Amino acid sequence: MRARPAPAAVTVPADWPATEAEARAVQDTLRARVDLTGPGPEVGTGTATGVDVAYDDVRGQVAAAAVVLDAATLEVVEEATAVGPVSFPYVPGLLAFRELPAVLAALAALAAPPGLVVCDGYGVAHPRRFGLASHLGVLTGLPAVGVAKNPFTFTYEPPGERRGDQTPLTDGSEEVGRALRTRTAVKPVYVSAGHGVPLDRAVAHTLHLAPAYRLPETTRHADALCRAALKAAVTGEADQD
C-alpha cells in the first residue's frame, strides 16, 4: 500500500473572472486560439492524462486530480492532486471557471509530461464552443479532448449498438462532437475536440483509452483520485492504494 500524494495548493489568479459577463468575455476572447486541426499525438503513444474534479460546496472546496497513464499499456505513471477554494459559482456553460485553477495546479505538480489531456467534460461541444478541454488546451498549449457523460444541449441520433459505432453530435447543421459507443450495448459517451487534436483522432483516442469500460481509463482513475483527495481534505481521512 502506498500513500496518496500530498495535494498541491490551489491559487485563484487575481484577475480571475468574478461575474458571468466577465467569464463569457474571456471565453469569447480565447476561443479564436483553439486549434481543431492538430494533429495531436498518435493514438497509443506517449502519455495520456486524465483530469477531473470533485466539490464540497458546503465548505467551498474543490479537489482536482491529474493521473498520467502510459498510453500504450494504460498503466499509471504518476498522479497528482490539488485542493483549494471554489473559484466561481455554478453556472451552466461556465464550469471551466470553477475547475481550471485546481486542474492547472494538479497538472503543475506532475513531474511526468502529461501528453494528451482527457477532460471529463466538453471541448467545442459547448454553447460558445469553448468548454473545459478547449480552455485548458489554449491556456497550457497541451493537446486536449473532452469526453462527457451526457450530450449537454446538443442533438444526435443514437449510434449502433456495437463498440466503435458513432453518430454526429450537432448544433443545427454544425457537428460539434460525436456520440460514441465505447462498449457494446452500453450507452455512449460524447466526445469533442478540445485543442490541438481533430475530432476523428479524439474519437480514436477515446476508444483506445476505454478498452473495458464505458469511460476512458484516464477519467476513471482521475475521478477516483479527486474524490479521495476531497474526502481527505474535508475529513482528514487519507485513502491509500
Side-chain angles (χ1 to χ4, degrees), residues 74-151:
L74 304 187
E75 294 180 354
V76 175
V77 174
E78 188 187 1
E79 55 189 30
T81 60
V83 177
V86 174
S87 56
F88 199 83
Y90 172 77
V91 180
L94 300 178
L95 296 184
F97 294 94
R98 280 169 66 84
E99 301 183 357
L100 270 172
V103 169
L104 292 172
L107 286 171
L110 294 171
L116 176 75
V117 180
V118 182
C119 298
D120 179 22
Y122 310 98
V124 297
H126 180 274
R128 281 174 293 284
R129 306 297 184 265
F130 200 67
L132 174 65
S134 297
H135 202 153
L136 175 64
V138 166
L139 290 183
T140 64
L142 295 169
V145 301
V147 182
K149 301 180 185 73
N150 63 69

Side-chain angles (χ1 to χ4, degrees), residues 18 25-27 32 84 91-92 110 139-140 166 189 227:
V26 169
Q27 289 179 330
V91 180
L110 294 171
L139 290 183
T140 64
Q166 57 192 275
V189 295
R227 291 175 187 274

Side-chain angles (χ1 to χ4, degrees), residues 34-42 45-51 107 113-119 123 132-146 192-198 201-202 205 209 218:
V34 172
D35 171 14
L36 299 181
T37 60
E42 294 284 344
T45 65
T47 54
T49 297
V51 296
L107 286 171
L116 176 75
V117 180
V118 182
C119 298
L132 174 65
S134 297
H135 202 153
L136 175 64
V138 166
L139 290 183
T140 64
L142 295 169
V145 301
S192 56
H195 178 74
V197 184
R201 182 159 286 186
H205 279 295
L209 293 168
T218 41

